[in-house]
Amino acid sequence: MILFQTMQSVILWSVLATIVLVWVGSKRSPLYAVKAFIQTLLRSRKFLISFISLVLILLVNKYELEFEQWLNAGWDFTPFIHQLEGQFVYHFQNIFNTPILTSILSVFYLVIFQALIISSLMVYVSTNQQGLATATCYAIMLNYLIALPFYLFVQVNEVWSYAPANVEFLMLHAFPTFEEQYRGFSGIDNCFPSLHTSISVTVALLASRSGNKRWMILTGVSAACIVFSIFYFGIHWLSDMIAGVALAAFASWAGLKLAKANSRNGVSLPYQAKG
């Protein structure tokens, strides 16, 4: 079933998903969360700098494809990865392939993944956890900064695009113009490590430090579905996922350390919130 025709529809769904995630995760009105977010930006210079830095890195990331074409490194490790992993993704896809699952997972891959980032920040600032919001900014920045050199110099093509893998790109059943619209929006075509894995797991790991059980469950389930989807859609190799989890572990740890260091300059550290 086709769910998305344009990036505008993906963005609209992402906005709606963010509203729901903030409402459920913080148990606060989304309007209150927006107000708290703006107030935190105005009152905390460290959070403001970390948030602006994150936005700038995301903008730079959009031009990764152009950087890659300009560098023309030419080192393609895809055949080696396929030789190492065999037909894992092919068998995984064949076991689970159903139309309803394609629709559900496309929402997690395209919509929930994006919504998790901004909703995390709003949940934390609206529950007086500015330190955790700052840690999230640092951690996501680290995900992109560490992954970028791999995307530029370690060429690993997506599984579906490598003919010997014999894998179908199931995303096209839900979003037929994915290649023309989403690819240009994300600015990434290499897949090692998996940023969908690393960022969703990073968000879940940081949520585990919040003491907010509802948010922990939401982010944990979302991360599990997103990781499942990268194999289901035939996008990532198993090694991409393993590297993504390792990157998430480091980025979340480092983000917390950096936020703790900044707490000396007026940024609140996470407290143990109730349920």
Side-chain angles (χ1 to χ4, degrees):
M1 180 174 67
I2 297 175
L3 293 181
F4 309 100
Q5 294 282 4
T6 63
M7 270 308 300
Q8 286 73 20
S9 62
V10 174
I11 292 171
L12 177 59
W13 279 55
S14 298
V15 171
L16 294 175
T18 300
I19 292 172
V20 173
L21 285 172
V22 170
W23 199 353
V24 176
S26 67
K27 294 187 286 189
R28 302 267 193 170
S29 161
L31 292 177
Y32 175 88
V34 171
K35 179 182 177 181
F37 183 78
I38 295 172
Q39 289 177 338
T40 305
L41 285 174
L42 295 175
R43 294 174 181 174
S44 172
R45 186 174 62 179
K46 293 297 181 181
F47 179 63
L48 175 63
I49 292 173
S50 66
F51 179 72
I52 292 175
S53 300
L54 173 60
V55 172
L56 290 175
I57 287 175
L58 292 175
L59 290 175
V60 170
N61 173 74
K62 189 178 187 307
Y63 298 98
E64 187 273 334
L65 283 176
E66 296 179 19
F67 294 151
E68 182 186 332
Q69 292 171 1
W70 178 73
L71 286 170
N72 193 26
W75 301 318
D76 187 357
F77 291 88
T78 313
F80 170 75
I81 296 297
H82 178 252
Q83 185 178 14
L84 185 67
E85 298 187 14
Q87 300 299 102
F88 169 78
V89 177
Y90 169 79
H91 294 302
F92 187 98
Q93 192 178 74
N94 283 345
I95 291 172
F96 297 103
N97 185 4
T98 57
I100 184 64
L101 199 52
T102 300
S103 297
I104 293 172
L105 291 177
S106 68
V107 173
F108 277 94
Y109 188 92
L110 295 168
V111 174
I112 302 300
F113 173 74
Q114 297 181 132
L116 281 174
I117 298 175
I118 190 65
S119 60
S120 290
L121 301 179
M122 289 191 171
V123 166
Y124 296 139
V125 297
S126 64
T127 54
N128 195 31
Q129 295 182 294
Q130 292 93 337
L132 205 45
T134 304
T136 300
C137 289
Y138 286 138
I140 294 174
M141 280 192 284
L142 286 169
N143 272 282
Y144 280 100
L145 288 173
I146 294 172
L148 185 58
F150 288 96
Y151 290 152
L152 293 176
F153 300 108
V154 182
Q155 176 82 22
V156 179
N157 295 322
E158 294 178 354
V159 184
W160 67 270
S161 67
Y162 187 64
N166 198 28
V167 167
E168 182 184 359
F169 189 28
L170 294 178
M171 177 63 75
L172 299 182
H173 292 281
F175 191 4
T177 58
F178 178 93
E179 284 297 289
E180 295 81 6
Q181 299 200 43
Y182 188 85
R183 190 73 69 188
F185 177 80
S186 68
I188 290 176
D189 65 343
N190 287 349
C191 60
F192 181 90
S194 166
L195 276 177
H196 266 72
T197 296
S198 65
I199 291 177
S200 61
V201 172
T202 293
V203 169
L205 289 174
L206 292 173
S208 70
R209 301 293 297 271
S210 69
N212 183 338
K213 294 180 180 178
R214 187 182 301 226
W215 186 238
M216 290 164 61
I217 293 171
L218 281 173
T219 56
V221 170
S222 295
C225 290
I226 290 168
V227 172
F228 187 94
S229 73
I230 68 171
F231 300 129
Y232 180 85
F233 287 124
I235 298 173
H236 284 284
W237 304 90
L238 181 61
S239 53
D240 301 338
M241 183 273 287
I242 294 172
V245 171
L247 176 55
F250 172 77
S252 57
W253 172 82
L256 287 167
K257 290 293 184 181
L258 289 169
K260 184 176 181 180
N262 282 334
S263 69
R264 302 190 188 103
N265 297 310
V267 179
S268 303
L269 287 176
Y271 71 95
Q272 292 296 313
K274 294 182 179 179

